C-alpha cells in the first residue's frame, strides 16, 4: 500500500481488480523476470480465468517500462506467455502485436 501511495495510481483498464502501481510493485519488488511470472505466479489473474489479450498487452506494456525491456523482448514475453497459457492452461489468446500507445 505504501508503494502504491507514492505516485499516481489507477485501476488497470482491462482488469480493475489490479492497479498500475500494484503491477509496478510486483515487477520491481517481487523478482519478476518474465511476463508469465506475473500472470501465473504473482497474481490470481490466470487461475481465476480473467486473462485476456487486452490485459496481457496492458500488463506487458507496464512490465516492459518498469523492467526496461526493449520492443523485441516485450514481444518475446507476450508470445511466451501466450504459449504457456495455451499449452499448460488451455487458455487461447489471439496473436496481436504489442502496440505502443502514444502518451499525450
Amino acid at each position: 500500500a505504501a508503494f502504491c501511495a507514492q505516485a499516481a495510481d489507477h485501476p488497470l483498464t482491462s482488469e480493475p481488480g489490479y492497479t498500475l502501481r500494484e503491477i509496478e510493485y510486483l515487477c520491481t519488488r517481487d523478482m519478476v523476470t518474465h511476463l508469465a511470472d506475473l500472470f501465473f505466479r504473482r497474481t490470481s489473474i490466470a487461475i481465476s480465468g480473467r486473462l485476456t489479450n487486452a490485459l496481457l498487452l496492458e500488463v506487458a506494456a507496464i512490465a516492459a517500462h518498469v523492467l526496461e525491456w526493449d520492443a523485441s523482448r516485450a514481444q518475446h514475453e507476450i508470445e511466451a506467455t501466450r504459449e504457456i497459457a495455451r499449452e499448460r492452461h488451455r487458455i487461447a489468446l489471439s496473436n496481436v502485436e504489442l502496440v505502443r500507445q502514444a502518451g499525450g
Side-chain angles (χ1 to χ4, degrees), residues 51-53 82 84-87 89-95:
L51 180 58
T52 65
N53 194 61
R82 280 194 186 109
I84 291 168
R86 186 178 72 250
E87 293 294 319
H89 304 283
R90 301 180 196 265
I91 301 169
L93 300 170
S94 64
N95 189 13

Side-chain angles (χ1 to χ4, degrees), residues 36-52:
D37 290 342
L38 283 168
F39 291 110
F40 300 108
R41 293 181 189 93
R42 306 302 198 279
T43 69
S44 63
I45 292 169
I47 198 158
S48 65
R50 297 186 323 260
L51 180 58
T52 65

Side-chain angles (χ1 to χ4, degrees), residues 30-84:
D30 209 16
M31 299 189 302
V32 167
T33 57
H34 297 286
L35 186 59
D37 290 342
L38 283 168
F39 291 110
F40 300 108
R41 293 181 189 93
R42 306 302 198 279
T43 69
S44 63
I45 292 169
I47 198 158
S48 65
R50 297 186 323 260
L51 180 58
T52 65
N53 194 61
L55 182 57
L56 174 64
L57 296 177
E58 183 176 7
V59 171
I62 297 166
H65 174 76
V66 172
L67 299 172
E68 299 179 351
W69 294 339
D70 62 18
S72 176
R73 169 73 188 269
Q75 189 60 41
H76 171 77
E77 293 294 333
I78 290 167
E79 291 168 6
T81 302
R82 280 194 186 109
E83 180 74 16
I84 291 168

Side-chain angles (χ1 to χ4, degrees), residues 9-20 22 58:
D9 196 11
H10 58 81
L12 298 179
T13 301
S14 303
E15 176 49 61
Y18 285 89
T19 70
L20 167 72
E22 285 178 294
E58 183 176 7

